[in-house]
Amino acid sequence: MKNLAFLSSPDMSKAEVVTNHVVIAEYSGLNKISVRRLINNHKNDFENFGRLRFEITTLPDSRGQKVKIYQLNRNQAMLMITYLDNTEVVRNFKIALVKRFDEMEKELYARKIARAVEKQKGVTLHQSISEWVHYPRHGNTWHTIIRSLLATTVTGLTKKQIQARDTDWRKEKTLLDLLNSEEMERYKMLESIAIAMIEAGSDYEPIKTAIKSTITTKKGPRRQMEVLMEQVKTINHLGQVVYQESVEFYKEKLSVESKDFLQNSLIPQLYEWSNAYKAAVELTK
């Protein structure tokens, strides 16, 4: 009975766990008009536990006509079920409703915690982007580009599809407010990858490739992040500090190749290139 209670909005800044009188009527075996009338008759009682909210919309059996649907928070819903008879169907419904409220309130709490943690980390991402060597190319637009990349990757949706989760979408709200707790966890992992690559001076396309590859990588986003975070700092021939991929990174990439290819083709080629590198350095001194 996952639809017994639900979030009033996918926007975590204004969401609360609610049910409505149509759900109560359906699962308690009552007429929804009778349940709505019961709420009307005891409106003052319900408003002791918060504003009595409602929406005007159509229902499958309303023949296109819009009807008023009352939304009830936990306390209002608990008050509502005290007015119902204790038939076996109603008793089972009451138990299921309380359990569902508990589940959804835990989910809401988890989402808000994840969002709060991300906001703190978001400053780091914001600073990383602002200080990025490629920042001047698009300026502040990079913030939207990077965050949209992360959000669309963890959801598998387009930006517009994420926004469509909230019918009351407001432009000042970010996509992150519309992610659930599991998506926020994945977002935080991918954010760490983006920060590491930005600070290493990577351009956008390699970052995009790395982020998108977490969708199909067999080792999952966490391992992908660990591999990317293993970049090592070194000094190049010009005395500049640069970052290059670690031995573990290349072992990961080369593990799909045959031993014969590595021994007889790649290793000789790399050795040849190492000599060419040394020669080029000598010639440019």
Side-chain angles (χ1 to χ4, degrees), residues 69-254:
I69 301 178
Y70 282 112
Q71 283 193 347
L72 306 177
N73 61 32
R74 173 188 270 273
N75 288 337
Q76 290 169 336
M78 296 306 105
L79 176 63
M80 179 71 222
I81 61 179
T82 65
Y83 295 143
L84 305 181
D85 294 334
N86 270 329
T87 64
E88 183 176 356
V89 172
V90 172
R91 288 200 308 273
N92 291 335
F93 163 68
K94 290 177 180 179
I95 293 171
L97 182 63
V98 171
K99 288 182 176 180
R100 185 56 180 162
F101 261 98
D102 288 342
E103 291 172 359
M104 289 306 301
E105 285 172 350
K106 289 177 182 177
E107 166 70 10
L108 178 59
Y109 179 74
R111 290 194 193 186
K112 287 184 175 180
I113 290 296
R115 183 70 178 98
V117 171
E118 193 287 325
K119 283 184 177 180
Q120 294 177 351
K121 289 188 175 182
V123 176
T124 301
L125 179 60
H126 182 88
Q127 291 175 345
S128 298
I129 294 172
S130 298
E131 297 169 2
W132 193 13
V133 65
H134 301 290
Y135 179 81
R137 194 162 75 230
H138 293 302
N140 281 332
T141 306
W142 277 125
H143 296 287
T144 301
I145 293 172
I146 297 295
R147 290 190 177 278
S148 295
L149 169 65
L150 302 183
T152 54
T153 300
V154 300
T155 59
L157 303 175
T158 66
K159 183 178 178 180
K160 287 186 177 180
Q161 287 173 328
I162 298 173
Q163 292 173 342
R165 287 179 168 182
D166 187 357
T167 55
D168 188 29
W169 170 256
R170 295 177 292 171
K171 289 184 178 178
E172 66 270 21
K173 291 295 179 183
T174 69
L175 296 178
L176 305 188
D177 291 312
L178 304 178
L179 304 185
N180 63 34
S181 56
E182 291 182 1
E183 291 165 346
M184 278 302 305
E185 284 300 313
R186 294 198 296 272
Y187 181 96
K188 286 185 289 183
M189 285 191 283
L190 297 191
E191 185 183 59
S192 297
I193 294 175
I195 291 172
M197 296 188 72
I198 288 170
E199 291 183 339
S202 296
D203 206 341
Y204 175 69
E205 282 304 318
I207 294 174
K208 180 180 178 181
T209 300
I211 296 299
K212 291 295 184 183
S213 71
T214 62
I215 299 174
T216 56
T217 178
K218 293 181 180 179
K219 294 184 181 297
R222 186 176 296 277
R223 176 56 186 153
Q224 182 78 3
M225 179 184 69
E226 290 171 353
V227 171
L228 288 167
M229 292 292 282
E230 287 165 359
Q231 288 186 330
V232 294
K233 188 192 312 185
T234 188
I235 306 295
N236 69 8
H237 65 282
L238 297 175
Q240 300 169 325
V241 176
V242 295
Y243 290 84
Q244 59 183 202
E245 306 299 352
S246 67
V247 172
E248 290 302 315
F249 175 87
Y250 286 109
K251 284 172 67 177
E252 173 90 10
K253 294 298 182 183
L254 296 174

Side-chain angles (χ1 to χ4, degrees), residues 15-57:
E16 65 175 329
V17 182
V18 297
T19 188
N20 62 46
H21 84 269
V22 175
V23 170
I24 292 174
E26 178 182 354
Y27 285 94
S28 60
L30 301 174
N31 182 282
K32 56 180 173 287
I33 295 177
S34 299
V35 174
R36 188 178 65 193
R37 186 179 299 118
L38 185 60
I39 294 173
N40 287 331
N41 292 341
H42 299 280
K43 184 177 180 181
N44 291 336
D45 293 346
F46 286 99
E47 289 184 336
N48 284 323
F49 301 101
R51 189 158 69 92
L52 191 55
R53 300 177 183 275
F54 63 88
E55 60 178 330
I56 304 295
T57 188

